Amino acid sequence: MADEVILLDAWNSAFGMRVRVALAEKGIKYEYKEQDLGNKSPLLLKMNPIHKKVPVLIHNGKPICESAIIVQYIDEVWNDKAPLLPSDPYEKAQARFWVDYIDKKMYDVGRRVWSSKGEELEAVKKEIIQHLKLLEGELGDKPYFGGETFGFVDIGLIGFYSWFYTYETLGNFSIEAECPKLIAWAKRCMEKESVSKSLADPHKVYEFIKGIKKMLGLE
Amino acid sequence: MAEEVMLIGAKGSPFTRRVETALKMKGVQYEFMEEDVSNKSPLLLKYNPVHKKIPVLLHNGKPICESLVIIEYIDETWKGTPILPEDPYERAKARFWAKFMDDKCLQPLWKSCSSQGEEQEKAKEEACELLKILDNELKDKKFFGGDTIGLADIAANFISHWFLIIQEVTGVEVSTKDKYPKLYEWIDEFVNCSIIKENLHPKEELVAVFRGRLQAATATK
């Protein structure tokens, strides 16, 4: 029986990108349905009634929500190739810990970057640098967070790379100057087709945020 | 080789209790180290430098942090009573509800009793909505995990025990049997599970912990 896989997503969602990358790594065919988060579709509200957010994976009619949970689901169902999580329980726990860290910290600062200014913006900028430096420390000299192979933590963070240009431009700073190894890691990930085809264009993301700020009178 | 399992935690913490429940479900022998979170030990800062929080599980000297991450580690490392289901879709659902407890429920439930004025009213409203969602989720199940307790039930432990005590201590009424019948049925089933019942903290201990926390919360205003 053919699998039916649908992804409800929004083009600039760093969390949605996690799922796109995971699906591409596994070579899974799926239907992508772009969602308008300003005018949520009946399908989204039906499939994610609790959070009403993207991404949502619908596998043979059954919804799975929350990006980190979706990626683990994908890894467990399509377990015949490209393992995304390590097999060792301790390494798996470390990977889950870091994706949880990214979940807790990056979304919040990302949102505050474009909605604040002046002193508040300076504070958010410092926070972003702090989090990225910590992650860079965790990466160390490894090619990927998982070691030799691209995995769960890499997938967990890489979508935010498409937002770096926006953070840098609004905050007037260079992430590469602060975290050169992290940028080298991101560029290494972008050499993979599963990543380059899944990430949003950073300039488009910036234009989008500029538009939002104008609309909300936050220029 | 003898295994060395140590749990760094605090007796009054529901997060610590979650990990203890998981260890007991698997019959794992462990050493408990009580942490004074107002005066963090060098050991805690060494093993959880990122968050500096309890609980931390040390397995043969290697630390695992974040209670839900620890529980999955326990489930994967030791045989015995399964904590997560085998089926990937059911696992995803268990993880979803466990995350829901942590990300969405904790803060509003705590604030609904511990804050004041408008902040409290808002928190109470939110808490009621969340409890309704949980009540609905339990409509055709004994536990969040189905017939037996699982990850989501363990994650919801602060509702089954702590939240009821906080309401009693503060005199604030947010949840009642009439409003959330299915949730109260779950509470009964959950606390009567032998693994939970045998390891319940004496109420007076928890009351004391919460009076302390509440005093600290109002003092910082």
Side-chain angles (χ1 to χ4, degrees), chain A residues 46-49 56-65 69-70 72-78, chain B residues 84-97 137 141 144-145:
Chain A
K46 176 182 172 190
M47 292 291 158
N48 191 357
V56 180
L57 190 77
I58 311 173
H59 184 203
N60 295 329
K62 301 204 285 196
I64 302 100
C65 308
I69 294 175
I70 299 173
Q72 289 182 83
Y73 174 82
I74 289 169
D75 201 36
E76 287 166 14
V77 173
W78 288 276
Chain B
L84 271 95
E86 290 244 351
D87 174 70
Y89 185 68
E90 295 302 318
R91 289 163 76 84
K93 279 198 337 200
R95 287 172 177 144
F96 175 88
W97 286 106
E137 178 58 20
K141 293 190 289 205
F144 288 102

Side-chain angles (χ1 to χ4, degrees), chain B residues 1-4 59-60:
Chain B
M1 188 192 83
E3 261 197 316
E4 214 184 64
H59 186 201
N60 296 329

Side-chain angles (χ1 to χ4, degrees), chain A residues 63 66 76 90 96 104, chain B residues 63 66 72 76 89 91 95:
Chain A
E66 295 295 298
E76 287 166 14
Y90 184 73
R96 285 182 178 134
K104 284 181 159 87
Chain B
E66 291 299 299
E72 291 221 38
E76 286 159 11
Y89 185 68
R91 289 163 76 84
R95 287 172 177 144

Side-chain angles (χ1 to χ4, degrees), chain B residues 149-163:
Chain B
I149 69 168
L151 182 72
D153 301 279
I154 298 173
N157 69 341
F158 68 89
I159 296 177
S160 65
H161 207 48
W162 276 258
F163 188 51

Side-chain angles (χ1 to χ4, degrees), chain B residues 6-198:
Chain B
M6 183 196 262
L7 175 61
I8 306 174
K11 282 209 291 258
S13 155
F15 303 100
T16 302
R17 178 40 47 120
R18 288 173 177 179
V19 176
E20 288 191 281
T21 301
L23 288 167
K24 288 192 203 286
M25 279 172 81
K26 298 288 189 179
V28 178
Q29 305 281 25
Y30 65 97
E31 197 188 322
F32 183 84
M33 199 193 102
E34 177 76 19
E35 180 73 27
D36 174 3
V37 295
S38 60
N39 184 19
K40 292 176 182 181
S41 70
L43 204 69
L44 176 64
L45 300 177
K46 173 183 175 187
Y47 287 120
N48 192 358
V50 175
H51 297 302
K52 306 175 178 52
K53 286 184 175 178
I54 47 101
V56 177
L57 187 76
L58 280 172
H59 186 201
N60 296 329
K62 299 203 290 192
I64 304 106
C65 309
E66 291 299 299
S67 62
L68 298 182
V69 174
I70 299 172
I71 296 173
E72 291 221 38
Y73 174 80
I74 290 170
D75 200 35
E76 286 159 11
T77 303
W78 286 282
K79 294 194 191 345
T81 313
I83 300 174
L84 271 95
E86 290 244 351
D87 174 70
Y89 185 68
E90 295 302 318
R91 289 163 76 84
K93 279 198 337 200
R95 287 172 177 144
F96 175 88
W97 286 106
K99 193 174 197 302
F100 180 77
M101 303 296 171
D102 273 3
D103 288 356
K104 298 285 173 192
C105 297
L106 268 172
Q107 278 300 313
L109 288 180
W110 169 243
K111 280 201 173 138
S112 67
C113 297
S114 65
S115 59
Q116 272 115 36
E118 219 183 285
E119 200 190 346
Q120 186 182 32
E121 282 314 304
K122 208 170 150 221
K124 270 173 105 171
E125 246 181 73
E126 228 187 306
C128 288
E129 273 173 40
L130 295 165
L131 293 170
K132 190 88 206 110
I133 289 173
L134 294 175
D135 195 64
N136 277 341
E137 178 58 20
L138 288 164
K139 62 179 185 291
D140 48 9
K141 293 190 289 205
K142 197 164 143 188
F143 298 108
F144 288 102
D147 290 324
T148 50
I149 69 168
L151 182 72
D153 301 279
I154 298 173
N157 69 341
F158 68 89
I159 296 177
S160 65
H161 207 48
W162 276 258
F163 188 51
L164 299 183
I165 291 176
I166 299 174
Q167 286 181 80
E168 225 184 275
V169 167
T170 57
V172 178
E173 189 186 78
V174 182
S175 67
T176 63
K177 218 170 190 163
D178 291 331
K179 282 202 308 196
Y180 313 111
K182 282 279 148 191
L183 190 63
Y184 273 75
E185 267 176 47
W186 170 80
I187 291 173
D188 267 338
E189 294 283 359
F190 187 66
V191 300
N192 280 312
C193 275
S194 59
I195 203 99
I196 306 295
K197 196 154 67 166
E198 284 157 21

